[in-house]
Structures are given as structure tokens and as C-alpha cells.
Amino acid sequence: MAERVGILVVSYGSRACAVIDALSRSGGDYDLHFYVADRQSNPFNLKHADKHVVIPDLDVHRIRDFVDANKDSIDFGICCPEKPIIEGIRDVIERDTGVPMICPARRYAIEASKVSQRLMLAECCPEANPRFKVFRRDEYTTADELKESIWAFLDELDSGVAVKPDRPAAGKGVGVWGDHFTTREQLYEHFMSIFGSSDVILEEKLEGEESSFQAFCDGRRIVPLPDTRDYKRAFDHDMGPNTGGMGSYKDVRDWLPFMSERDREEEEKIAGRIFNALKGGAAIKEELRGIPLYIAFMHTREGAKILEINSRPGDPEIQNVLPVLKGDFVDICFRMIEGTLKDVEFERKATVVTYAVPMDYGGYRERYTGDRRVDLSGVYHMMTDYGNALRVYPGSMELRANGNTYALGSRTVCTVGIGESIEEAREISLDGIRKIDGALWNRWDIGASHHIARSIARLKELRALV
Ligand code: AMP
Ligand code: GLY
């Protein structure tokens, strides 16, 4: 008889649907039951959950209460979003209920401070750090003094900097010279809009091509997942403001078309050094369980540099990876908890994730006051034609009492195409997007061959300059 396994999933958006979907594909040795703590009534989660609770702010103590009430039926939990990890969900749930959690402990929520992250990297892999300067709010008494200090750093770097809040802002508080501002006064304005509520870090603007690196971890070792490329900017051709990520692609291999195998090895080496630094000489550091290292790399003329590190799966990047996981994800989860994680295999397939988002997301329209109803029945119908090659994961949308689903404010729903090539995967993903009925928009160039060709040419050109 199949073994009963109860799993808590803490959900913010489509990423959790990809997790539930991957667990559900488990080999049949398990009789799975999901307990979902959700930001809203996500229709996918509602369909799969035995028990579902809406906790709009994902407050750690309310999630703990939900687990406590069901603790005899839950074998382990997975936390996808960063906010509860930063607030110590792992520590609180394990201490109060005894249910093991797959995510790092509060102490290892590395994204809690970009400043601490840079200081840590300066110790363990300085060559992967851009030049940077920290501006602490308690260190400046006058505006002149602050401005002088900013200007001095801008002189050093010929103004080529990125301005970042110390505290997480879902990639949206970041401003980059040449992209978001072209004069020092504009940069100063952006700086001051953050400095009111957070310390600020200025860092050298990196030129190159981005990749997202993720790894599973059981505390003893990290097991790298294939690289993906996220599309942060709102509009086609990488125009417009930064968003949470409009889509992403994964190639057939573990690295991206503009990278070489050596670039991938360099990423793995850097990740290994950071992991060892975090472990601090211990053979096992259980607090690092989950995906403690999601590293956003910039591949530059001088090799791989780090843009930022998170301690949770990327959204949309994990949606590229989990659908092509070969091993049994439930077993992998048990191994992460036991400290017996082994290498993980993936199908040699390309995947493309495209997000459909509301009209007023990313400044596409200034205002949208029309109907927000979204009907996924067409795309679900299409899934039966495509079999496993198309996945649909609702994100920021909710099922209401009238039985219809509606878009909320953030990324609404993503489609994942799986194919023999990136181009094929992209076609499938976009076919799915076209079948979604609702006032939504999307980027059309996620994984497009012209976009990839540009990445290849740009990196080649940069490296020819060495
Ligand atoms: P972050 O939240 O730090 O990942 O930043 C969001 C986005 O801003 C990144 O994906 C990059 O596109 C861009 N960015 C961040 N830091 C830098 C940097 N030092 N140089 C150039 N672009 C950057
Ligand atoms: N897609 C960027 C992130 O998950 O941080």
C-alpha cells in the first residue's frame, strides 16, 4: 500500500504550483496530501489541497497555527517565498510543532541584507563581487556630507553604478546608471527615495549577460540545478522597469547558450565556496536545507560576478526546472531532510516560462479599471493536446464565490513550454498564453532566437575586449 505523506506548502504565486505539480508526479509509492498556506485562493492550490488556508501577509505565527492544528498529518513543509523565511518560519515551525521544514533557518536568509551579503562575499570570493560602497543612515548628519560621499564614489566609477536598498524590494528598488537614470541628480533622487527607509549600497555597474543558478541542499552538500535566464525588465527588448521576472528559459544542457561549460564550472565553484563559507567548517549545517543559494550571476568580461543571492527558489526560474526533474521529488525532499541528498537528474529538454500579467503591471498601462476576470479553461483544454509539454501555473489570481477566477495585482499566470529546443518550448509556452482569456499582457520575446543571439554576440564582443 502507498505510504501516506502530508506536505505543507507555503505559497506565494505560481512557484508553489510548480512545486505541488512536481511532488504530484512522484512515482506512486506515496499517497500525497497537501496542506497549503496561501496568500490568496489560488485556484490550482485549492484544487490540489486537502486543507487550504488564506493568510494574505503569510504571517509566520498564523502559518504555525495552521501546521499545529494538522501536525499529526504533516510529514514536512516547503516554504517558497522569502518573506516568511526572513521572518524565521523554519525556526518557529520546527520549534513549536516538530514538523521539519525545507527552507533555510532565519540566520541563513541571506537576502535579508544586501550589505551583509556583499561583506560576506568580500571574505569568501572577492573576485565575484563588484566594487561597492555602503551608505548607512546613521553615518550621515547632513545632506551635503552624504552627497559629497556619493559623488566621490561616482567619480571613482565614472558614474557607472547600480543603486540598491539594503532591504529586499523584489528587484524593484534597484536603479542602474544608463538604464534608469542618466544624470547624477536623477540618481541622487532615486538614492534618496530609498534612503528614507533603508541603508543603501552603491555598486559598480556590471556589463554582461545574466544567469540564475539554483541548488538543492541537505546541509551537507549542494546539488546544482540547471541554469536559467530570467527576463527582469517589463517590456520586449529589455525595455521598461524591473519586475519580479516576466519569464525565463532553460536550454537542453545545464548551462545557457551564451555560456561555455567553463562558465558553468566557474558558477559551481563560486557556489561551492559560498556554501563552505556558510557552513563554517562544519560537516553538516542543517539550517541550510532547501535552496539556500539562488545566485543571480552576471557573466562579464572578467568572469562571473554576483548580482545578488536569495535563499529560496526563483520565480519564474524554478518553473523551468521542476517540470523536467527526473527523480522522485518526494524522495528528494526526504533526502534533503535526512542529509542524504544525491545527484539529481533532469530530462535533456529546453523549457520556456512566459508570464501573463495585468494591464497595470510594470507600467504597461497607467491605469486599468476594467474587468479582471481571467478564464483558463481554454489553456487547460489545450494541455490535453500537448500532454506533458505544457504546464499552466496560476499566480496572482483568485477563485471567488461566484466560481470565476480574477487577476489580482501581480504576475497572474505562467505557461511552461517543454521541448527539444528553446524555440520549440517557446512556441508551446506562447500557444498556451494565446489561449488565456482575460485582460492580460505578456512579453513575446522570452527565449526568442533574436534575444539569445544578442546575448551571445554581446558576451563575445565584451570578451574580445580583454
Ligand atoms: P537585484 O535585485 O540585485 O538582483 O537587481 C535586479 C536587477 O538589477 C538585476 O537582475 C540586474 O538586471 C540589475 N542589476 C543589479 N545589480 C547590478 C549591477 N551591479 N550592475 C548592473 N545591473 C545590475
Ligand atoms: N526571478 C527573480 C527571483 O526570483 O528573485
Side-chain angles (χ1 to χ4, degrees):
M1 217 177 82
E3 180 189 344
R4 186 193 187 284
V5 179
I7 305 173
L8 165 79
V9 178
V10 181
S11 161
Y12 185 125
S14 308
R15 179 172 44 191
C17 306
V19 167
I20 291 175
D21 193 30
L23 290 165
S24 302
R25 282 186 293 112
S26 162
D29 293 342
Y30 301 110
D31 167 28
L32 298 181
H33 297 264
F34 294 106
Y35 296 77
V36 181
D38 213 341
R39 194 166 172 262
Q40 82 272 347
S41 295
N42 180 308
F44 182 101
N45 294 343
L46 278 168
K47 203 164 94 198
H48 287 80
D50 276 34
K51 285 199 181 164
H52 182 274
V53 60
V54 173
I55 302 177
D57 60 357
L58 294 176
D59 175 71
V60 165
H61 294 97
R62 288 194 56 203
I63 300 172
R64 185 264 326 269
D65 293 344
F66 175 60
V67 175
D68 201 42
N70 296 285
K71 66 179 173 208
D72 296 334
S73 316
I74 300 179
D75 292 276
F76 62 86
I78 298 181
C79 181
C80 302
E82 67 255 28
K83 184 177 160 282
I85 300 178
I86 294 170
E87 289 168 4
I89 191 167
R90 164 96 184 258
D91 317 55
V92 170
I93 289 190
E94 291 190 350
R95 182 195 62 209
D96 294 354
T97 71
V99 170
M101 289 295 294
I102 299 181
C103 66
R106 180 184 203 146
R107 223 184 122 210
Y108 292 97
I110 200 165
E111 64 270 78
S113 161
K114 285 193 197 279
V115 171
S116 319
Q117 212 177 94
R118 285 286 175 226
L119 296 173
M120 189 261 295
L121 292 172
E123 292 286 316
C124 71
C125 20
E127 74 290 352
N129 241 356
R131 285 198 275 167
F132 67 97
K133 183 166 178 169
V134 177
F135 295 83
R136 295 191 194 276
R137 293 198 300 152
D138 57 8
E139 277 176 8
Y140 295 92
T141 42
T142 69
D144 283 348
E145 200 187 329
L146 172 65
K147 209 163 176 179
E148 204 175 295
S149 180
I150 297 172
W151 258 242
F153 190 64
L154 292 180
D155 287 343
E156 252 180 65
L157 290 172
D158 204 14
S159 298
V161 298
V163 184
K164 298 181 172 188
D166 178 39
R167 300 286 158 208
K172 292 169 208 153
V174 176
V176 181
W177 179 266
D179 297 339
H180 303 101
F181 28 74
T182 48
T183 68
R184 287 192 177 189
E185 286 307 327
Q186 286 167 348
L187 182 152
Y188 183 67
E189 206 177 297
H190 182 79
F191 184 106
M192 291 311 290
S193 73
I194 309 170
F195 203 57
S197 56
S198 165
D199 291 346
V200 175
I201 178 161
L202 289 189
E203 48 184 60
E204 175 191 358
K205 177 182 176 179
L206 299 169
E207 303 277 0
E209 291 297 321
E210 291 181 42
S211 68
S212 303
F213 173 97
Q214 305 175 88
F216 287 146
C217 180
D218 64 354
R220 193 182 297 278
R221 59 180 296 219
I222 52 169
V223 174
L225 310 185
D227 277 319
T228 57
R229 166 63 174 247
D230 182 21
Y231 285 53
K232 286 245 164 52
R233 299 295 206 91
F235 309 134
D236 279 19
H237 305 290
D238 297 325
M239 308 290 277
N242 276 334
T243 66
M246 298 295 294
S248 48
Y249 68 79
K250 171 202 167 298
D251 204 349
V252 173
R253 300 176 294 209
D254 284 353
W255 57 94
L256 300 169
F258 53 82
M259 292 166 62
S260 65
E261 192 169 2
R262 267 190 51 202
D263 292 323
R264 168 71 180 187
E265 283 164 9
E266 192 184 0
E267 289 186 347
E268 289 184 12
K269 222 155 71 195
I270 291 170
R273 294 229 305 275
I274 299 169
F275 180 59
N276 286 335
L278 292 173
K279 271 206 306 187
I284 182 160
K285 183 78 73 178
E286 279 176 7
E287 292 115 300
L288 285 162
R289 184 189 302 151
I291 300 192
L293 293 178
Y294 156 113
I295 310 178
F297 279 107
M298 183 77 96
H299 293 275
T300 73
R301 185 189 340 195
E302 290 106 20
K305 306 264 180 194
I306 294 173
L307 289 170
E308 68 155 345
I309 308 180
N310 289 292
S311 67
R312 41 83 184 155
D315 182 350
E317 292 98 323
I318 204 68
Q319 290 95 303
N320 287 101
V321 171
L322 290 179
V324 289
L325 183 64
K326 257 191 178 167
D328 185 312
F329 193 32
V330 179
D331 282 336
I332 292 171
C333 289
F334 278 127
R335 286 187 172 279
M336 278 198 262
I337 293 164
E338 288 159 3
T340 55
L341 190 60
K342 290 193 188 141
D343 284 346
V344 174
E345 275 191 74
F346 294 88
E347 288 175 56
R348 283 183 59 81
K349 297 261 170 125
T351 62
V352 171
V353 179
T354 309
Y355 256 117
V357 300
M359 299 310 281
D360 47 4
Y361 186 78
Y364 187 74
R365 291 285 187 280
E366 271 182 25
R367 241 157 71 85
Y368 176 72
T369 52
D371 191 13
R372 299 187 84 92
R373 184 171 168 215
V374 175
D375 179 1
L376 298 181
S377 58
V379 64
Y380 279 136
H381 186 70
M382 176 180 254
M383 276 174 72
T384 47
D385 300 336
Y386 272 118
N388 283 337
L390 174 65
R391 297 288 209 293
V392 180
Y393 299 135
S396 179
M397 59 186 291
E398 70 178 2
L399 179 68
R400 298 203 180 139
N402 64 8
N404 294 327
T405 48
Y406 294 84
L408 300 176
S410 197
R411 295 171 291 176
T412 312
V413 52
C414 71
T415 58
V416 189
I418 300 160
E420 300 302 325
S421 65
I422 296 173
E423 198 48 44
E424 192 194 343
R426 172 172 175 261
E427 289 296 331
I428 298 170
S429 171
L430 290 178
D431 264 358
I433 287 284
R434 289 187 197 98
K435 290 280 184 200
I436 297 171
D437 180 4
L440 304 172
W441 65 278
N442 57 275
R443 276 185 73 158
W444 294 101
D445 62 349
I446 312 292
S449 51
H450 65 81
H451 194 282
I452 293 173
R454 200 168 134 252
S455 296
I456 295 171
R458 270 182 45 182
L459 198 54
K460 218 182 215 167
E461 194 183 318
L462 271 177
R463 288 180 171 172
L465 295 173
V466 175

